[in-house]
Amino acid sequence: MLSIKNLHARVAEKEILKGFNLDVKPGEVHAIMGPNGSGKSTLASVLAGREDYEVTSGEIIFEGKNLLELAPEDRAREGIFLAFQYPVEIPGVSITNFLKTAMNEQREYRGLSPIEPKEFLQMMKEKKALVEIDTNLTNRSVNEGFSGGEKKRNEIFQMAMLDPKLAILDETDSGLDIDALRIVATGVTQLKRPDNACIVITHYQRLLDFIVPDFVHVLFEGKIVKSGTKELALELEEKGYDWIRKEVASL
Amino acid sequence: MLETLTGIDLKEKLLADYSLQKSALLLDNPMIASFRENAANAFRKQGFPSKKHEEYRYIAMDKFLRKDYNHPLSASSPTIEKLPESILVDSEAYRLVMVNGFFAPSLSLVPEGIEGFTAGSLAEAIRNKNVTALTHIGTLSNPDADPFLALNSAMFADGIFIHLAKNIVVEKPIQIIQLTTSDEPIFIQPRVLVVVEDGAQVTLIGLTPETQEKQDIFINTVTEVHCGKNAIVHLVQAYDHKDVSAVHHTEAHVHTNGNFSHYAIHLNGRLVRNNLNIVLADSHCEAHLFGYYHPTSDQIFDSHTLVDHRMPHCESNELYKGVVDGNGTAIFNGKVYVRQDAQKTNAYQSNKNILLSEEATVNTKPQLEIYADDVKCSHGSSTGVLDPEQMFYLRSRGITTPKARALLLNAYAGEILEKLPSEKLRNTLTELLLEKYSA
């Protein structure tokens, strides 16, 4: 589904990703962990097509297409979804209007007619239940005045509505208390299917108690230095990132 | 005088009309005659403003005045037979239609036989010696203050007169529709006089819509509003005509406990200059000023507003927002005076602009002058671009750049449009704006 080869990327003249490789197949959940400044959020930004990040070499192939040639909106329409670490407030645009527009723009790209209002409302109702969002929230402007937990739940709600092939969760656990974490993680787990995949970017292991990864990768100074299964995450939690630092230094 | 050289031919032409067209100008009425004479002198002295005129320094007025304008002083036989349905906010509500500045009874729907409620032709009211019209016309405005105001005062030939006696409440909004039709360039000068007595309530929706003919049209309007004690007045002035250059001078006086709201919506026009002066003449008055402007290629939309707090315990609240695209120009000059007697004043003013192109221009100047010491006042202005973070967020959900832009601009304008006192008008204007965003 996704193949990243020897990816180098920089922001404001500073090279952050230095030869990043990753292969994601349908049905898989990959966790990417790493200390602050290792390049986790840069990876998410490059995948979603944020313009201030410059890819200097390497390639990203998604479903047979060169992702780096696609505008952010076309990446979304091809089936990529980024759950933002810091969801943006958009005063004056209601969640309902925003999602209906997004959904119909994606449908148009796939040659489908706009969604029937009734079907849309039914879908909203179902997906709201999934992340325990109450109706008042969806009548409000996108993220405006939302608490940290509401913002993150709203990201997963959008993910549920847009049904992407590949979801990238960028530190979705940051700033969440344990109850919100559980709701968000349960939502993500319920959306898992054999034909979709998920990349979970996180600093801490605790999210992975709820979203169990098939693979765990440790990102350090712009590339993956260690890969393993979910046990690797536990090891990191126990020993901290210094252990990795030492191991890399000794190579 | 050197500084008044702009549009000098038009000036002479108009002043010649003034001397010759005495009956069209209702000069047989001595009250009107002396008011006119005073105004004509003021215009003669001031002439059309050049860029040296402090209040007009950002507009090359000459460009809009150097046309071979005809200056109609009587109603032409109406060539507009039917009103476009789309511009009506309520087909059953009263409407006052002007064609080239002259009241058009056949297109209008006026109250008949309702005691204390008059609405119709201003010229007719003066000819019929309507006491309210005669005692109020020109009393709020000083022709020495502005050349366009002086010119209109000297030479308006018709317009609209609305009078609500004490405690008369008109439920549905009254539309004031300014239509134009001509096969040659025209310079027209309607006058609107609104007298709302104590406790009366009315909503007025003024609109200058697009018409078929493509001609140079200059409209120099003066609107005077008397808002009595405990009266509530909403006044919308919307311009959506690509070939119109307009100067609209509005003068409103608000009395004890009165509440006056003004909405300036500028969607299309070559030039739209909004001169809005509001005087809070007694205590416990409220004024609300909302504006939305969206100039694109070569369009200049200019608002000069003044709120004059003369007495204590009044509140004014002003929000003007605009989007400037292409090589359009927006100008905002907002003055708030808080005089020495106006203690316990609350006065807020804000102007916000979004630039959509490199060639777009905004000149913004909020001004606050406070002579009282126990007041709450604030003012501010900002000019920026669409938030790139918001744009990215929308695009990351599959929304194309033009659609994302339209969503954000619609939300931005929505803060003003949602204040409008008519839902139908709000929907009509929102649709017109969406067309403009996607252009």
Side-chain angles (χ1 to χ4, degrees):
Chain A
M1 176 181 274
L2 178 76
S3 163
I4 305 176
K5 287 207 173 74
N6 192 31
L7 185 68
H8 290 253
R10 63 183 182 186
V11 59
E13 302 298 307
K14 187 166 189 276
E15 188 168 49
I16 312 275
L17 293 179
K18 306 163 184 173
F20 181 92
N21 295 289
L22 184 70
D23 271 294
V24 179
K25 294 190 181 63
E28 293 179 349
V29 174
H30 289 249
I32 296 183
M33 303 185 69
N36 291 333
S38 58
K40 297 192 300 293
S41 283
T42 298
L43 176 67
S45 296
V46 168
L47 284 173
R50 206 181 264 280
E51 267 146 17
D52 31 5
Y53 291 81
E54 190 195 346
V55 173
T56 51
S57 67
E59 62 168 27
I60 306 176
I61 305 296
F62 177 70
E63 297 278 79
K65 288 196 170 131
N66 181 356
L67 198 70
L68 296 175
E69 282 177 356
L70 297 179
E73 55 268 36
D74 289 338
R75 296 179 192 204
R77 294 155 143 207
E78 288 290 341
I80 285 185
F81 180 90
L82 171 67
F84 280 57
Q85 183 178 3
Y86 303 109
V88 181
E89 299 196 8
I90 310 182
V93 178
S94 74
I95 292 187
T96 306
N97 186 18
F98 162 60
L99 272 176
K100 195 181 263 175
T101 308
M103 194 168 264
N104 284 335
E105 290 264 279
Q106 296 208 13
R107 288 173 70 97
E108 192 186 327
Y109 185 78
R110 293 169 198 151
L112 299 170
S113 57
I115 190 166
E116 293 294 325
K118 213 178 142 192
E119 193 187 338
F120 178 76
L121 288 177
Q122 182 57 32
M123 198 170 166
M124 288 271 285
K125 203 174 149 192
E126 274 169 38
K127 306 301 181 189
K128 275 192 283 200
L130 191 75
V131 279
E132 300 179 28
I133 277 186
D134 78 80
T135 302
N136 295 335
L137 207 68
T138 47
N139 293 332
R140 280 166 57 186
S141 295
V142 177
N143 294 322
E144 193 188 23
F146 285 23
S147 70
E150 286 172 332
K151 282 182 182 170
K152 296 299 174 80
R153 269 191 280 164
N154 186 27
E155 293 294 287
I156 305 308
F157 171 58
Q158 292 173 40
M159 174 181 157
M161 291 292 289
L162 297 172
D163 190 23
K165 290 178 188 158
L166 174 68
I168 303 147
L169 311 186
D170 186 9
E171 309 229 4
T172 296
D173 51 340
S174 69
L176 291 189
D177 61 32
I178 195 73
D179 289 331
L181 189 74
R182 185 187 45 77
I183 293 169
V184 162
T186 310
V188 172
T189 310
Q190 286 187 39
L191 294 171
K192 204 183 148 186
R193 284 199 312 256
D195 63 340
N196 64 21
C198 191
I199 297 174
V200 181
I201 295 172
T202 180
H203 188 77
Y204 299 105
Q205 188 270 339
R206 59 174 196 167
L207 179 64
L208 305 177
D209 283 342
F210 299 97
I211 307 174
V212 182
D214 300 298
F215 301 96
V216 173
H217 311 279
V218 181
L219 183 61
F220 187 72
E221 291 184 347
K223 54 183 155 191
I224 288 175
V225 294
K226 205 172 182 68
S227 294
T229 54
K230 61 180 188 208
E231 285 73 24
L232 179 57
L234 292 168
E235 205 174 343
L236 281 170
E237 179 77 359
E238 195 182 316
K239 298 186 186 169
Y241 286 106
D242 272 350
W243 159 63
I244 296 287
R245 218 166 262 141
K246 279 178 197 138
E247 208 175 279
V248 170
S250 71
L251 286 177
Chain B
M1 281 190 288
L2 271 179
E3 65 267 27
T4 59
L5 269 176
T6 47
I8 191 157
D9 301 339
L10 183 62
K11 178 187 172 188
E12 294 310 325
K13 187 172 164 180
L14 292 167
L15 285 170
D17 274 354
Y18 173 71
S19 319
L20 295 171
Q21 301 285 337
K22 294 200 184 293
S23 92
L25 297 174
L26 313 158
L27 294 178
D28 48 343
N29 183 309
M31 214 150 151
I32 295 292
S34 96
F35 159 63
R36 296 269 203 201
E37 188 58 25
N38 189 17
N41 285 336
F43 176 66
R44 196 174 284 122
K45 205 162 64 191
Q46 296 174 77
F48 285 113
S50 73
K51 280 191 145 190
K52 285 181 184 159
H53 192 300
E54 178 59 26
E55 301 298 329
Y56 289 88
R57 55 189 291 201
Y58 294 114
I59 304 176
M61 197 53 90
D62 195 42
K63 188 178 131 191
F64 302 97
L65 295 170
R66 263 189 207 284
K67 301 268 164 61
D68 195 14
Y69 287 118
N70 186 22
H71 182 239
L73 282 170
S74 60
S76 49
S77 51
T79 46
I80 298 174
E81 274 157 22
K82 204 171 172 300
L83 276 177
E85 276 288 318
S86 61
I87 62 171
L88 296 181
V89 301
D90 184 338
S91 52
E92 286 162 18
Y94 297 121
R95 58 178 181 269
L96 306 163
V97 181
M98 289 180 277
V99 175
N100 295 348
F102 290 86
F103 181 67
S106 63
L107 299 174
S108 301
L109 190 61
V110 298
E112 276 169 70
I114 301 179
E115 206 185 315
F117 180 22
T118 309
S121 159
L122 176 62
E124 195 185 296
I126 293 172
R127 254 183 243 113
N128 293 344
K129 301 193 168 59
N130 181 299
V131 178
T132 309
L134 286 173
T135 50
H136 287 82
I137 186 106
T139 53
L140 301 185
S141 49
N142 169 11
D144 291 318
D146 183 274
F148 287 98
L149 167 64
L151 180 61
N152 177 290
S153 302
M155 301 199 69
F156 72 85
D158 195 8
I160 302 291
F161 171 57
I162 298 170
H163 174 215
L164 280 80
K166 254 187 176 178
N167 299 326
I168 297 284
V169 175
V170 183
E171 299 284 352
K172 288 187 174 179
I174 303 176
Q175 269 191 281
I176 300 174
I177 299 165
Q178 168 73 64
L179 298 178
T180 52
T181 176
S182 179
D183 48 15
E184 57 188 350
I186 45 170
F187 189 98
I188 58 180
Q189 304 203 69
R191 183 100 176 185
V192 179
L193 175 62
V194 181
V195 181
V196 181
E197 290 194 36
D198 298 354
Q201 297 179 18
V202 69
T203 294
L204 304 169
I205 297 179
L207 174 65
T208 303
E210 193 74 56
T211 45
Q212 297 300 318
E213 291 87 353
K214 299 291 163 217
Q215 271 302 340
D216 296 307
I217 298 159
F218 198 110
I219 310 178
N220 177 31
T221 309
V222 172
T223 298
E224 290 172 291
V225 182
H226 296 258
C227 179
K229 289 177 191 165
N230 300 305
I232 300 176
V233 179
H234 294 271
L235 172 62
V236 180
Q237 291 168 343
Y239 281 86
D240 183 37
H241 190 321
K242 291 188 184 71
D243 297 304
V244 154
S245 309
V247 175
H248 197 145
H249 189 106
T250 304
E251 207 57 68
H253 277 224
V254 189
H255 297 283
T256 311
N257 269 319
N259 193 324
F260 176 69
S261 300
H262 183 271
Y263 313 80
I265 310 289
H266 303 157
L267 303 188
N268 276 302
R270 291 180 192 171
L271 163 76
V272 181
R273 165 67 176 242
N274 161 33
N275 286 329
L276 172 61
N277 293 349
I278 300 175
V279 175
L280 302 179
D282 294 315
S283 64
H284 298 95
C285 302
E286 268 182 54
H288 302 273
L289 300 78
F290 299 106
Y292 181 79
Y293 44 86
H294 193 132
T296 57
S297 52
D298 285 329
Q299 294 178 328
I300 302 178
F301 297 166
D302 175 355
S303 280
H304 272 57
T305 67
L306 167 65
V307 182
D308 187 353
H309 283 264
R310 291 189 181 167
M311 299 302 274
H313 297 284
C314 291
E315 183 174 327
S316 70
N317 179 19
E318 176 169 24
L319 178 60
Y320 268 64
K321 290 175 85 171
V323 171
V324 192
D325 202 354
N327 54 353
T329 302
I331 301 155
F332 175 80
N333 185 305
K335 291 186 189 130
V336 177
Y337 290 152
V338 181
R339 303 203 184 219
Q340 206 164 1
D341 289 337
Q343 299 294 1
K344 306 283 182 192
T345 287
N346 285 329
Y348 306 100
Q349 182 194 68
S350 173
N351 173 234
K352 296 176 184 171
N353 300 283
I354 286 182
L355 299 175
L356 291 183
S357 93
E358 297 270 326
E359 290 78 38
T361 308
V362 169
N363 293 297
T364 172
K365 190 176 179 192
Q367 280 173 278
L368 200 51
E369 287 183 31
I370 305 174
Y371 302 99
D373 52 16
D374 185 12
V375 300
K376 276 188 204 150
C377 299
S378 73
H379 69 156
S381 88
S382 66
T383 300
V385 296
L386 280 178
D387 183 344
E389 282 296 311
Q390 292 179 343
M391 281 298 287
F392 180 70
Y393 191 75
L394 294 171
R395 292 176 70 199
S396 80
R397 300 306 185 235
I399 300 172
T400 51
T401 304
K403 270 261 168 65
R405 233 169 71 140
L407 264 183
L408 293 182
L409 291 175
N410 193 40
Y412 179 79
E415 195 186 353
I416 299 297
L417 299 185
E418 73 186 13
K419 303 281 200 282
L420 288 169
S422 150
E423 194 181 339
K424 171 78 194 315
L425 178 69
R426 185 157 58 236
N427 295 341
T428 307
L429 296 179
T430 302
E431 264 169 47
L432 288 170
L433 275 173
L434 284 175
E435 263 170 50
K436 225 172 165 171
Y437 300 149
S438 37

